[in-house]
Amino acid sequence: MTNDAPYKRPLPDLERKLTQPYWEATKRHELVIQQCDACQHLWFPPSFCCPNCLGEAISWKPVSGRAKIWSWIDMWQMYFRGFADERPYLVAYVELEEGPRLMANLVDIDEERTGLTCDMPLEIVFDDVTPEVTLPRFRPIR
Amino acid sequence: MSRDTLKRDFRDKVAIVGVGTTDFGAMYRDLDPQRSNYQLGLTAFKAAIEDCGLTRDDIDGIFTSRVPDTVRMSEILGIRHPRFSSTLPGGGRYSGLGVQYAAMAVYSGMADTVALIYGNNGRSVGAKYGGDGEGGGPESNSADFDVPYGMTSPGAQYGLMYRRHQALYGTPAEALGHLAINNRNNAMKNPISVMKNPLSMEDYLNTRFIAEPLRLLDYCLINDGAVCIIVTSAERARDLKQPPIYISATQSTSDFTAQYLSDNFYYDSLSSMAPDLFGAAGIDRKDIDFAQIYDNFTPTVLFSLEGLGFCGKGESGSWVTPERISLTGELPLNTSGGHTSESYMQGWAMHVEAVRQLRGECGDRQVANAEFGLYSCTSPVSAAHILRR
């Protein structure tokens, strides 16, 4: 966001202990996801234990930021006032190179959605939307 | 006893004997911000006990859904000492599950006759599915990881699944149109439906997108109404006013992940459930005379048909031809008009439609000689029944 208008879109809860390391990392322009110390399984979203072995010793592992599109939608409906000026906007369900999937907006795609396909390779970009919050988004690797 | 033995023993031991609904079309044009889910529930309850010829005092089990509190509903109805009662969550999956709980209560002897009561004043009070407040709270991954991107609503999750299904299998946009139009054609023959104006493929394709690739007409309605279903044993059912509609088999299954969407379109969960369901009823898919398939969004029908084995994996898009799914086709679908054209009573009214079809009460939309009907709801918890007359 390069303009000076106040940011009006919904923001994550930075006070939530479980997810704080994620947002601290995105602020450093780094993507981290949870990994089980015992079995090395990786998952997202953050949880209290490893869904593979129920281990509770968990580390935050930096990941590459390379990904591919599982699927995407163009959201036309105005569910949030903050998105009113940018409809339709692109939301993708993105599969990280390391396996876990997450939702994110896609950027650097034209209005005709030229070349957009499922499984298209992506790379992460970090968007400092407020002084406190940095949201990861993804763009095609061309 | 093995599971198979138990399920064979359960077959046709429990019946749906009474059904009641409001007039969805009439209420759609008559909004009332004071409309109470309890009052709606009362209307449907009276219609259902009148339908089966029972009285309030015969009811010894009660479940409510979307009617917020079973205690309050029971108090209003003067049901002081039910032997089995619970408030179900308001989600659509709880219609199929509620019928299962009632059937289990009756089969086990925990209750003789159970009333399931659903009331929905959503249109009058401006219910929304998605947007501010959805999935909030201190434990919400959705609020933290989806909503900042403007990602919200079950429909958008279905949009993601449908796009992927199209990419993998070449599913045409017209497939959803056929489903929406079939619903409308049936609703036009249903006196209590909401949507009664004709719908063409051109109309469908010209409708605005909500979460592209899904259009407005792929989404369920939001309307006011109520449904009540009375469940009792086959033995008690024999002496009642209406022919009993037996629960031949019922089963549920689950797919629990971090998102509402399933990365296999719920195929793995449904296809693991289907043999149990059809096996327990002792029939095959070709014996099913109609199917009421939960269509919160039209793609749900495609995924359900694949998962339940009516067509092959990935083949639903070309399978749902108008000829096949119409009232005179191989598998008449959503004969009341479904959730996109009759009403969005979150599966409850689809149960009622199945009962009315099997009783032969459906007039212009009656499926000829209907003996076996399927209800299914696909979601993170899926449930399906085979009902028979």
Side-chain angles (χ1 to χ4, degrees):
Chain A
M1 295 285 134
T2 50
N3 63 31
D4 297 328
Y7 188 78
K8 287 181 178 163
R9 295 180 179 177
L11 289 167
D13 176 5
L14 299 182
E15 301 304 311
R16 196 177 162 204
K17 278 188 197 139
L18 177 67
T19 56
Q20 263 173 353
Y22 180 87
W23 299 113
E24 286 164 7
T26 60
K27 197 155 163 43
R28 302 190 299 268
H29 288 201
E30 205 177 24
L31 184 66
V32 298
I33 61 173
Q34 286 181 313
Q35 182 169 38
C36 177
D37 290 352
C39 77
Q40 272 70 60
H41 183 69
L42 290 155
W43 66 89
F44 187 88
S47 184
F48 304 105
C49 73
C50 168
N52 185 49
C53 75
L54 306 187
E56 292 178 64
I58 296 167
S59 303
W60 288 88
K61 181 185 167 61
V63 291
S64 68
R66 284 187 296 275
K68 59 183 182 179
I69 298 179
W70 189 82
S71 187
W72 81 95
I73 54 163
D74 266 295
M75 186 70 100
W76 291 77
Q77 187 80 355
M78 191 180 74
Y79 286 104
F80 304 99
R81 230 160 246 298
F83 284 87
D85 57 347
E86 197 205 315
R87 286 175 296 139
Y89 55 90
L90 279 168
V91 181
Y93 195 41
V94 161
E95 183 172 309
L96 300 175
E97 189 175 58
E98 293 81 3
R101 298 185 187 127
L102 46 86
M103 298 289 176
N105 299 126
L106 299 178
V107 296
D108 290 357
I109 290 165
D110 65 26
E111 283 183 11
E112 282 70 45
R113 310 311 192 207
T114 311
L116 193 54
T117 58
C118 288
D119 299 322
M120 169 187 257
L122 302 169
E123 63 189 359
I124 200 164
V125 287
F126 291 95
D127 191 348
D128 303 316
V129 297
T130 71
E132 297 78 30
V133 177
T134 298
L135 292 179
R137 304 187 200 276
F138 289 83
R139 70 181 171 209
I141 300 174
R142 298 199 196 265
Chain B
M1 270 199 286
S2 73
R3 187 169 72 184
D4 286 350
T5 311
L6 282 167
K7 290 182 81 82
R8 263 200 305 280
D9 188 68
F10 172 85
R11 186 192 300 170
D12 301 338
K13 293 280 172 57
V14 177
I16 297 176
V17 292
V19 293
T21 69
T22 53
D23 183 331
F24 308 121
M27 208 171 269
Y28 196 72
R29 285 165 274 279
D30 173 29
L31 298 186
D32 175 4
Q34 301 254 328
R35 183 167 286 141
S36 157
N37 282 330
Y38 294 105
Q39 191 167 18
L40 286 167
L42 165 67
T43 305
F45 175 77
K46 282 184 141 176
I49 57 170
E50 165 72 23
D51 182 55
C52 59
L54 288 168
T55 69
R56 182 269 316 273
D57 296 339
D58 294 311
I59 303 302
D60 67 348
I62 179 167
F63 289 86
T64 66
S65 179
R66 202 131 173 172
V67 170
D69 179 14
T70 298
V71 176
R72 174 90 175 112
M73 188 78 254
S74 301
E75 176 223 324
I76 288 168
L77 297 175
I79 298 174
R80 178 80 186 262
H81 300 295
R83 300 167 63 216
F84 195 52
S85 70
S86 188
T87 304
L88 304 171
R93 66 194 70 169
Y94 290 97
S95 52
L97 294 173
V99 169
Q100 292 180 339
Y101 301 155
M104 288 190 283
V106 167
Y107 183 60
S108 67
M110 290 188 70
D112 291 339
T113 303
V114 178
L116 297 144
I117 305 175
Y118 172 87
N120 183 346
N121 61 0
R123 187 170 176 81
S124 277
V125 302
K128 288 190 171 58
Y129 300 82
D132 291 318
E134 188 199 41
E139 297 275 344
S140 174
N141 282 323
S142 174
D144 283 342
F145 297 108
D146 302 344
V147 166
Y149 300 110
M151 178 61 191
T152 185
S153 80
Q157 299 257 351
Y158 262 92
L160 288 169
M161 279 192 283
Y162 188 63
R163 172 92 69 192
R164 180 81 186 172
H165 193 273
Q166 287 186 295
L168 290 177
Y169 305 118
T171 313
E174 285 78 6
L176 301 185
H178 290 318
L179 295 169
I181 291 165
N182 180 66
N183 274 359
R184 184 61 56 86
N185 290 342
N186 294 341
M188 288 167 66
K189 296 175 177 170
N190 177 357
I192 63 169
S193 69
V194 168
M195 304 298 274
K196 293 195 174 79
N197 49 323
L199 179 68
S200 69
M201 186 60 80
E202 194 187 349
D203 297 335
Y204 169 80
L205 292 170
N206 285 331
T207 313
R208 70 184 171 94
F209 287 112
I210 304 291
E212 187 180 354
L214 299 191
R215 297 172 167 83
L216 178 66
L217 291 174
D218 295 312
Y219 278 62
C220 56
L221 300 162
I222 296 179
N223 67 290
D224 295 355
V227 177
C228 178
I229 295 171
I230 310 285
V231 174
T232 192
S233 67
E235 202 181 326
R236 277 182 293 273
R238 276 183 215 118
D239 303 325
L240 298 181
K241 209 160 119 187
Q242 301 285 357
I245 301 306
Y246 300 101
I247 301 173
S248 284
T250 184
Q251 185 62 47
S252 65
T253 184
S254 307
D255 187 352
F256 291 156
T257 65
Q259 294 287 345
Y260 182 73
L261 67 78
S262 158
D263 64 2
N264 57 70
F265 318 107
Y266 296 107
Y267 185 87
D268 292 353
S269 57
L270 293 175
S271 62
S272 71
M273 172 181 78
D276 255 358
L277 180 74
F278 290 100
I283 64 164
D284 193 14
R285 288 158 189 81
K286 65 176 168 20
D287 300 314
I288 297 290
D289 296 303
F290 63 80
Q292 315 296 346
I293 299 185
Y294 200 97
D295 51 356
N296 43 354
F297 312 99
T298 50
T300 318
V301 178
L302 300 185
F303 305 158
S304 302
L305 289 167
E306 292 180 15
L308 293 170
F310 284 94
C311 61
K313 192 176 190 176
E315 292 172 3
S316 57
S318 54
W319 195 86
V320 290
T321 59
E323 297 73 28
R324 185 176 266 134
I325 65 176
S326 75
L327 293 172
T328 53
E330 177 187 330
L331 186 69
L333 282 185
N334 296 358
T335 54
S336 65
H339 287 139
T340 69
S341 280
E342 189 221 37
S343 68
Y344 184 51
M345 293 290 105
Q346 300 190 276
W348 294 98
M350 288 188 150
H351 284 84
V352 172
E353 175 70 6
V355 168
R356 289 177 175 157
Q357 284 286 350
L358 291 168
R359 288 181 185 170
E361 292 177 346
C362 287
D364 290 347
R365 69 179 194 286
Q366 181 63 48
V367 173
N369 305 314
E371 185 183 358
F372 288 102
L374 175 85
Y375 167 81
S376 92
C377 171
T378 297
S379 82
V381 185
S382 296
H385 331 295
I386 292 169
L387 305 176
R388 82 163 180 86
R389 67 174 151 89

